[in-house]
Amino acid sequence: MTDMGLRERKKRRMYEVVSETAVRLFLEKGFDAVSVAEVAAAAGISKPTLFRYFPAKEDLVLHRIADHETEAARVVAQGPTPIAALRRHFLDGLERDDPVTGLNDHPQVLAFHSLLYGTPSLVARVYAYQQRSEDALAQALGGGLEARLAAGQIVAVQRILALDNWRRIAAGEQVDEVRPDALAAAERAFEMLAAGLPRFA
């Protein structure tokens, strides 16, 4: 049991080290200007070893948000209803400046988001990530067409809210200036979701 725990910790640490190394290089030189071989060398591993951890170059970046892929699916179980739970979770995220909400002006967070949304291959990969997030949420909502339609709307609302916040921050506005509008927009968005998806509200 201890050995398994140690192996798992070492594996997770390797993921973190390689991803952090890659993101640092991508931010310094640009995503397309850095090869996988260069990342592997900087991380002190071979290229085949890197590909065992990260099947695609884009995964080196998306590892940072991978934990959020099933977040909405986990949150809906907290009740009292799926939309109420997601609303509370998103508003809590705004209050604590969670980078996932777009309401964060830390230079490293802004740089990471600029890398993510400014690189076409990463944008395409984010779309696949969002599809998996929708699938997980739809299953948590009970499966079937109605659950898939609801999941698509919920994920889209969260994405749009976060992008709007990030764009304002990236344009130079301060978090404290954006927060009141972000909170009001989130409240309105989740009201619309509740009205349109009464089964889940």
Side-chain angles (χ1 to χ4, degrees):
M1 187 70 172
T2 304
D3 288 344
M4 283 296 289
L6 179 60
R7 276 202 298 273
E8 184 61 28
R9 285 196 300 274
K10 287 177 70 175
K11 185 178 179 182
R12 288 182 183 179
R13 182 61 189 147
M14 177 63 80
Y15 273 106
E16 294 298 329
V17 168
V18 177
S19 177
E20 287 170 10
T21 301
V23 169
R24 177 176 52 78
L25 289 171
F26 296 152
L27 290 175
E28 286 175 4
K29 303 179 181 182
F31 183 80
D32 294 325
V34 179
S35 69
V36 172
E38 189 175 350
V39 173
I45 59 174
S46 68
K47 188 175 173 180
T49 298
L50 184 147
F51 277 124
R52 281 203 297 273
Y53 286 92
F54 299 95
K57 183 180 177 183
E58 291 77 11
D59 293 331
L60 289 159
V61 177
L62 292 180
H63 173 72
R64 283 200 178 179
I65 62 172
D67 288 348
H68 295 286
E69 192 171 288
T70 58
E71 186 171 274
R74 296 192 304 269
V75 167
V76 295
Q78 298 170 10
T81 67
I83 290 177
L86 289 164
R87 172 189 165 278
R88 183 178 62 241
H89 183 73
F90 194 87
L91 291 172
D92 287 349
L94 290 173
E95 292 290 358
R96 65 177 187 273
D97 300 344
D98 188 331
V100 172
T101 68
L103 194 66
N104 188 297
D105 60 0
H106 190 285
Q108 289 183 332
V109 171
L110 288 174
F112 178 79
H113 282 149
S114 294
L115 171 68
L116 191 63
Y117 297 120
T119 308
S121 61
L122 290 173
V123 171
R125 201 73 170 188
V126 168
Y127 176 76
Y129 155 87
Q130 289 168 343
Q131 287 292 113
R132 292 191 297 274
S133 184
E134 279 184 29
D135 292 343
L137 179 55
Q139 288 303 309
L141 294 174
L145 177 61
E146 193 172 349
R148 293 199 308 275
L149 291 170
Q153 292 174 64
I154 291 165
V155 169
V157 162
Q158 292 179 329
R159 176 181 56 81
I160 291 166
L161 290 171
L163 275 174
D164 281 353
N165 295 336
W166 169 71
R167 285 181 178 133
R168 290 182 62 180
I169 299 293
E173 292 187 62
Q174 300 298 308
V175 165
D176 289 340
E177 295 172 345
V178 177
R179 191 189 316 281
D181 291 341
L183 289 166
E187 290 280 18
R188 178 66 183 132
F190 280 97
E191 281 177 13
M192 292 171 68
L193 282 174
L197 302 169
R199 175 184 160 190
F200 305 104

